[in-house]
Structure formats: structure tokens, C-alpha cells
């Protein structure tokens, strides 16, 4: 479930000559190629600069942006909306997931409801959100919560299902109280799933946060993107898109690092740790 | 429908009383009668082994005794109380020891957790954990995680957890089926030593005939499924047992042969009524 970097396997002795370059070097080379294309294609006249300015212009527009208070304010609004939405969705997903997953009757009763509600794309709720909250931040929050909640809930439901029957019977035979069973058996089993759900939810939450800002016009980077677009500041628009992309990368990396830290005991992480 | 069992000499002091136990697994459309009619008692402080062919319903029996499974009819009485759920004062060592230990806890936490549930005070708890891990030869592994240990060590952690719990009755389901012969011999001696030292009642399920004779004071041989008791064999070997001398004693060979023939007949479908 959680991919682990394969650098452990690459530490072998000898065979120095034909060793393929490490993954991060390849990744970096790919990025460099992309920026080179972005720089050269407009300059060579392959695309019109009005639609795609050279990369260096995006960078300098980004530097300009970073000097304005509006940019930082928008960035903060975006991060805030994203974090609040994700926190609500995660908390609700975990609690409801454990309750629904832990009670077979409830699970059976609700599974078809979940299967119906889950595939509804969050953006379909935009009209409803606007009706309820207008262009406030809460409008976008509704979308963010709705979208990321299902990611977390579904993973937690899988996780609760994954409790080993032998571990469960062990807990029962030693007369663990119900709450202890949840805390010491169910929760650690579900934790890898919870973290996966959190990681997926974090990505979806960011998408919906930006979408909401763009379409509804609630404050944030998405709204700034719309503003730069209408005012024809194309390089600035791209600069903001790059910032949003970087946030996405950072969020994913942080979530993965947290996973590795929390799941040191898990087969996908534990490796050869000696205590 | 429970008919009072006649009750042997030990019935008065019986710690565990299994009366006409029957278990039918209800499948889709058809039921599997795993256990038909089991009656036996285990006295306080006894070490009783249960052998039977594979699929005889040994695990089913143990899970009913442990209160993890509801019987179809009949009843299990432990210390004078009918078992309806996992009773206090009971510990189970499962065959799948790897899955029975919690990988997210250290060895110490695994052993300590049940004691916390029993609300044993902290100082007492630490003493029990240290003593139990000491007794199984794992004094140096308190802070390891179970997955950092070998199979035999893991099984010893499971045994230490059960021992630290200070149960009145210890149920063990083929606990040594997956460890190598040498470790197995060591663990057998460990169980005998702990049993003697703690005075705990042990119900030990195995499919290994040698093991049952070597360990038990009494061996209960089960028929094949649907299961009834084929015969109860008292093991009149001296109390001091030793892998070399006991196993080479003439009486051991005799008893072993007797149990072996019984299990063989059980496999062929022989039943007491026949
Ligand atoms: N959960 C279950 N549902 C339906 N049938 C079952 C279930 N568990 C066991 N059985 C059936 O009950 C019978 C006895 O199974 P059990 O596991 O008690 O045997 P066993 O004596 O422990 O065998 P082994 O020595 O191989 O472990 C078997 O025929 C088996 O198919
Ligand atoms: Mg079994």
C-alpha cells in the first residue's frame, strides 16, 4: 500500500559500472527537460507567447507576486480552507468509519447508501453550496469536506475490515474492554488505511479548494488565478498555477513522511530495524 | 436436554466440566456437524492433552471452552459457572502465534496489555512481565517488536503473555505445530516446568501423539468428525520427565503405541458405539 523508496536495495557492493542512475536523478532530469521545453517552445515560436510565455517569465512573475501582500493573503486563505476542510473530513471519516465498520448491522444497512453518495462529483454540489453560503469561504469548504470525506471514510472502512480474526480473538479472550479493543487492536490495524485515506483526501481537498475558489470566487489562490486570467496577466497566472502544483507536491511528501514515521512497525516500512 | 454426566472421581474438584457439547457450523443451506457429543472433566491443576485426527474438531472444542464460540447444545462449566463468553482467569495460546501477537506493540507491551485490562497495579504488573519473560528465556527482548523475533521466540512471547496473566486455566491449541523439532522439545519442557511451578490447569490440544504422551497426565483421544470422545488414556509416567529418558522408557513406548492405534482407528472412522 505504501511504497517505500528502493534505495536500500541499491547499496550493493561491486557492479559499479552498470548501475542505473538513482530515481531522484532521473526525476530531476525529467523536470529539467520540461522547463527547457517550456522555455524554448515559446521563444522558438512553436506556441504563441500570449498563451504560454517562456518559463523564465513565469519565474519572474512569481518573484513579483511574492512581493505583494495579496499573494500571501491568497496563499494563506487557500491553505486555511484546505486544512480546515481536510481536518473536518478526516475526523468525520475516522469516527464514522470506525462506528459503521465496527457494527456489522450498520455497515450492511449503509453500504448501498455510501456507494450511491460517494461517486457524486463534488463540483456537482457547487450550485447547492452557492445557494447555501454565497461566495463565502464556507461554500468552498463544503465542497472540500464532501470530496475528501469519502476518501477517508472508504479507507477507514477497509481498515476496520482488515482486523486479523486471531488478533481479535486474542483481545476477546483476554477480556479487553470494547474501547481498549478499538484503541489497541482496531485502530493500529486501520491506521495504514487511515493514512492512505488522509493522503488521498489531502490531494482531493486541494483540488476542490482551488476549484471552489476559481468557480465560486471564494478567496484564495484559485480566485487570484481567475483574476490574472481576466486581466491578461498570463505569466502571473502560470506562476500561480506552479505555486498550486508545488503545494500539492509538498502535501503529498509530508503525508508520506508522516506515514513512514507512524508505521514503523508495519511490514511495508519496518525493514531491518534493530532495537 | 442436558443429562447430568455421571462424574468420575475428579468430578467434585473439577475445574472444567464439558457436558454433552455439540457444535454444528451453520453454512449456507447445510450445516457441518464438527462436534457431536463431548463429555469430559478436567480437575484443578491437571495437565490434559487432547489428540485427534486433523479436522476432528479440536480447535472447535477449544474455542467453545474459551467462550469464543457458542455451542449448539450442551454446556461448558468452568469453576462452577457456565461459559457464555471468555471467562476471567483464562488464557489461550493460539496456534497462529504470529497473528496473535500485536506487531505494533513491543514484546513488553504485548505481555503487559492484558494485565492492564485486569487493572493490575503498575509495580505488580512490571514484576509479572519481567518474571514471565525471564521464565521463557526472553529477558533481553523486552523492547523488540514481535516481528524482529524468530518463530520460536514469538511463541515464547505468547506463552509469557499467558503466564503473566496468572490464569487458572491455560488453553493451548497446537502451539508448537510450526516450530522446529529442537525448539519444540524446549518449549514442551517449558510448559511442563511452568505448569508445575504455577499449579495452573492446562488443556493442551495437539495432533502429535508423542507430544501428548510426553506432556499429559491424561490424554483424551477424539474420534474423527462428528466428534465424540474415543478414549481417555491415563498417562502413568513418572512426574519428572525428560526428553531423553522419558521418551526412551518402555512405558512411554507402550502408551504411545496405544494412543497411536486409537488415533489410527479414529481416522478409519471407528466410533465407540461400533
Ligand atoms: N468456521 C467454520 N465454519 C464451518 N465449518 C468449520 C469452521 N471451522 C471448522 N469447521 C469444520 O469443523 C470441523 C472441525 O474443524 P476444527 O478446526 O475444529 O478441526 P481440528 O481438529 O482443529 O483440525 P486440525 O488438527 O487440522 O487443526 C472441520 O470439518 C471443519 O471443516
Ligand atoms: Mg485446529
Amino acid at each position: 500500500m505504501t511504497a517505500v523508496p528502493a534505495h536500500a536495495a541499491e547499496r550493493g557492493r561491486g557492479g559499479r559500472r552498470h548501475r542505473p542512475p538513482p530515481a531522484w536523478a532521473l526525476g530531476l532530469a525529467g523536470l529539467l527537460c520540461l522547463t527547457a521545453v517550456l522555455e524554448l517552445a515559446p521563444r522558438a515560436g512553436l506556441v504563441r507567447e500570449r498563451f504560454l510565455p517562456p518559463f523564465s517569465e513565469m519565474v519572474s512573475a512569481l518573484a513579483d507576486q511574492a512581493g505583494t501582500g495579496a499573494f500571501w493573503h491568497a496563499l494563506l486563505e487557500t491553505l486555511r480552507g484546505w486544512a480546515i476542510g481536510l481536518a473536518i473530513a478526516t475526523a468525520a471519516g475516522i469516527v464514522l468509519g470506525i462506528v459503521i465498520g465496527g457494527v456489522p448491522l450498520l455497515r450492511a444497512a449503509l453500504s448501498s447508501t455510501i456507494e450511491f453518495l460517494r461517486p457524486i462529483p463534488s463540483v456537482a454540489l457547487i450550485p447547492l453550496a452557492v445557494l447555501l453560503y454565497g461566495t463565502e469561504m464556507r461554500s468552498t469548504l463544503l465542497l472540500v469536506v464532501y470530496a475528501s470525506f469519502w476518501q477517508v471514510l472508504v479507507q477507514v472502512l477497509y481498515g476496520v475490515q482488515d482486523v486479523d480474526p486471531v488478533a481479535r480473538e486474542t483481545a476477546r479472550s483476554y477480556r479487553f474492554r470494547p474501547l481498549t479493543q478499538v484503541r489497541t487492536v482496531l485502530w493500529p490495524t486501520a491506521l495504514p488505511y487511515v493514512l492512505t485515506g488522509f493522503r488521498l483526501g489531502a490531494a482531493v481537498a486541494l483540488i476542490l479548494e482551488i476549484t471552489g475558489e476559481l468557480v465560486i470566487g471564494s478567496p484564495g489562490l484559485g480566485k487570484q488565478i481567475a483574476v490574472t486570467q481576466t486581466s491578461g496577466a498570463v505569466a502571473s497566472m502560470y506562476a500561480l498555477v506552479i505555486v498550486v502544483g508545488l503545494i500539492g507536491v509538498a502535501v503529498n511528501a509530508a503525508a508520506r513522511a508522516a506515514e513512514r514515521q507512524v508505521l514503523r512497525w508495519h511490514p511495508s516500512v519496518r525493514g531491518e530495524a534493530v532495537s | 436436554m442436558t443429562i447430568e454426566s455421571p462424574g468420575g472421581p475428579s468430578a467434585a474438584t473439577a475445574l472444567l466440566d464439558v457436558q454433552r457439547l455439540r457444535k454444528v457450523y451453520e453454512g449456507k443451506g447445510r450445516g457441518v456437524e464438527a462436534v457431536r457429543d463431548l463429555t469430559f472433566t478436567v480437575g484443578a491443576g491437571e495437565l490434559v492433552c487432547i489428540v485427534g485426527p486433523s479436522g476432528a474438531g479440536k480447535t472447535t472444542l477449544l474455542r467453545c471452552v474459551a467462550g469464543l464460540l457458542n455451542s449448539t447444545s450442551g454446556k461448558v462449566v468452568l469453576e462452577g459457572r457456565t461459559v457464555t463468553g471468555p471467562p476471567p482467569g483464562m488464557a489461550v495460546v493460539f496456534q497462529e502465534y504470529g497473528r496473535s501477537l500485536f506487531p505494533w506493540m513491543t514484546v513488553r507491551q504485548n505481555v503487559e496489555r492484558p494485565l492492564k485490562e485486569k487493572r493490575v497495579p503498575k509495580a505488580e504488573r512490571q514484576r509479572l512481565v519481567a518474571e514471565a519473560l525471564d521464565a521463557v528465556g526472553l529477558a533481553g527482548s523486552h523492547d523488540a517488536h514481535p516481528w524482529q523475533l524468530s518463530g520460536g521466540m514469538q511463541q515464547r512471547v505468547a506463552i509469557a503473555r499467558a503466564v503473566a496473566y496468572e490464569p487458572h486455566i491455560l488453553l493451548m491449541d497446537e502451539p508448537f505445530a510450526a516450530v522446529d523439532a529442537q525448539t519444540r522439545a524446549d518449549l514442551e519442557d517449558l510448559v511442563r516446568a511452568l505448569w508445575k511451578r504455577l499449579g495452573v490447569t492446562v488443556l493442551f490440544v495437539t495432533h502429535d501423539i508423542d507430544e501428548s504422551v510426553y506432556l499429559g497426565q491424561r490424554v483424551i483421544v477424539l474420534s474423527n468428525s462428528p466428534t465424540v470422545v474415543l478414549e481417555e488414556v491415563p498417562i502413568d509416567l513418572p512426574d519428572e520427565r525428560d526428553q531423553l529418558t522419558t521418551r526412551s522408557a518402555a512405558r512411554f513406548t507402550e502408551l504411545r503405541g496405544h494412543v497411536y492405534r486409537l488415533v489410527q482407528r479414529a481416522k478409519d472412522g471407528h466410533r465407540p458405539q461400533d
Side-chain angles (χ1 to χ4, degrees):
Chain A
M1 173 194 348
T2 40
V4 187
H7 51 82
E10 288 167 16
R11 247 183 274 128
R13 286 143 280 157
R16 184 163 303 186
R17 210 161 302 164
H18 298 292
R19 200 183 327 158
W24 63 264
L26 288 175
L28 196 67
L31 271 179
L32 285 176
C33 282
L34 179 64
T35 48
V37 169
L38 284 180
E39 180 69 29
L40 296 176
R43 293 211 185 279
L46 290 176
V47 287
R48 308 227 326 250
E49 287 201 21
R50 238 185 70 208
F51 301 131
L52 184 71
F55 185 71
S56 52
E57 271 180 44
M58 296 180 197
V59 173
S60 73
L62 184 58
D64 290 345
Q65 286 278 344
T68 65
F71 167 79
W72 292 106
H73 188 71
L75 178 65
L76 217 65
E77 287 285 353
T78 296
L79 290 180
R80 194 164 68 102
W82 168 79
I84 294 174
L86 184 60
I88 294 173
T90 305
I94 289 172
V95 172
L96 287 174
I98 286 178
V99 171
I100 295 172
V103 185
L105 211 68
L106 214 53
R107 189 188 177 98
L110 290 181
S111 68
S112 47
T113 311
I114 292 172
E115 284 315 308
F116 171 73
L117 290 175
R118 188 164 66 106
I120 297 178
S122 243
V123 284
L125 297 182
I126 287 179
L128 175 69
V130 174
L131 267 181
L132 286 175
Y133 304 120
T135 60
E136 279 177 61
M137 175 244 196
R138 274 191 291 174
S139 265
T140 301
L141 193 61
L142 179 71
L143 305 186
V144 172
V145 170
Y146 188 85
S148 46
F149 168 73
W150 297 113
Q151 302 285 339
V152 179
L153 179 72
V154 167
Q155 290 296 325
V156 175
L157 286 178
Y158 281 135
V160 172
Q161 195 80 325
D162 200 38
V163 172
D164 191 307
V166 179
R168 192 198 306 271
E169 294 211 322
T170 303
R172 281 224 295 143
S173 72
Y174 283 113
R175 295 162 63 88
F176 285 17
R177 278 171 277 273
L179 223 59
T180 317
Q181 289 194 32
V182 169
R183 195 161 52 79
T184 63
V185 182
L186 195 146
W187 174 249
T189 306
L191 193 55
Y193 295 85
V194 171
L195 292 172
T196 303
F198 177 80
R199 188 160 45 77
L200 298 176
V204 169
L206 186 64
I207 294 173
L208 267 298
E209 176 66 31
I210 300 298
T211 308
E213 290 164 7
L214 259 171
V215 178
I216 299 174
S218 60
L221 287 177
K223 188 180 179 186
Q224 293 299 109
I225 292 176
V227 169
T228 48
Q229 187 243 351
T230 41
S231 64
V234 181
S236 293
M237 184 186 85
Y238 276 106
L240 291 171
V241 170
I242 290 173
V243 171
V244 171
L246 289 177
I247 295 175
V249 172
V251 162
N252 193 42
R256 279 199 185 282
E259 263 175 45
R260 271 199 296 279
Q261 188 57 34
V262 175
L263 296 182
R264 266 169 306 179
W265 55 267
H266 196 265
S268 68
V269 178
R270 59 199 182 195
E272 292 173 19
V274 177
S275 71
Chain B
M1 79 148 279
T2 317
I3 300 164
E4 281 306 315
S5 61
S10 65
T13 55
L15 184 96
L16 173 68
D17 194 359
V18 178
Q19 298 169 5
R20 309 219 59 177
L21 186 75
R22 176 161 186 260
K23 176 65 193 179
V24 181
Y25 287 106
E26 294 300 345
K28 287 201 184 74
R30 62 183 203 102
V32 179
E33 188 180 20
V35 171
R36 174 163 292 171
D37 185 355
L38 281 178
T39 301
F40 63 87
T41 59
V42 179
E46 242 191 316
L47 199 173
V48 174
C49 290
I50 294 186
V51 287
S54 181
K58 304 184 291 295
T59 300
T60 306
L61 164 65
L62 213 68
R63 293 180 66 216
C64 286
V65 170
L68 294 168
L69 196 65
N70 291 325
S71 57
T72 307
S73 67
K75 62 177 176 178
V76 175
V77 180
L78 183 69
E79 299 185 300
R81 259 174 295 172
T82 303
V83 171
T84 49
M90 179 203 72
V92 185
V93 176
F94 292 89
Q95 179 174 354
E96 304 94 337
Y97 50 84
R99 287 161 57 197
S100 171
L101 298 172
F102 305 125
W104 44 83
M105 295 183 189
T106 62
V107 166
R108 186 210 319 270
Q109 290 168 330
N110 265 289
V111 177
E112 197 176 9
R113 187 70 249 171
L115 301 182
K116 283 189 176 164
E117 281 308 284
K118 236 170 71 168
R119 301 202 198 280
V120 178
K122 186 161 187 219
E124 171 82 350
R125 222 159 60 206
Q126 286 173 340
R127 185 181 63 80
L128 285 169
V129 172
E131 276 180 15
L133 284 172
D134 230 17
V136 301
L138 285 175
S141 304
H142 284 224
D143 296 317
H145 284 265
W147 41 270
Q148 293 168 318
L149 306 178
S150 72
M153 288 162 95
Q154 289 178 19
Q155 188 57 290
R156 281 186 278 157
V157 176
I159 294 173
R161 176 169 64 183
V163 166
Y165 194 64
E166 296 188 306
H168 306 158
I169 185 163
L170 179 57
L171 308 179
M172 304 179 98
D173 187 7
E174 305 197 23
F176 311 142
V179 296
D180 63 275
Q182 183 57 50
T183 312
R184 186 180 190 129
D186 293 344
L187 290 173
E188 285 167 7
D189 289 335
L190 175 68
V191 166
R192 287 257 337 161
L194 288 171
W195 165 67
K196 273 200 197 157
R197 214 182 74 200
L198 305 172
V200 60
T201 307
V202 180
L203 190 60
F204 191 104
V205 165
T206 176
H207 63 245
D208 185 320
I209 292 152
D210 284 49
E211 186 169 78
S212 70
V213 175
Y214 179 73
L215 281 179
Q217 295 180 303
R218 187 149 55 97
V219 173
I220 299 176
V221 184
L222 302 183
S223 73
N224 64 359
S225 191
T227 314
V228 297
V229 173
L230 206 55
E231 191 173 318
E232 295 196 17
V233 185
I235 303 296
D236 48 4
L237 291 167
D239 214 25
E240 280 304 323
R241 297 189 192 174
D242 170 81
Q243 293 287 350
L244 281 179
T245 51
T246 304
R247 283 184 193 267
S248 56
R251 184 62 186 147
F252 180 87
T253 317
E254 247 173 68
L255 287 164
R256 183 191 169 282
H258 181 61
V259 175
Y260 183 86
R261 276 188 295 277
L262 281 173
V263 172
Q264 214 52 42
R265 273 160 66 197
K267 273 188 194 159
D268 296 340
H270 170 85
R271 313 182 71 78
Q273 303 93 305
D274 299 356

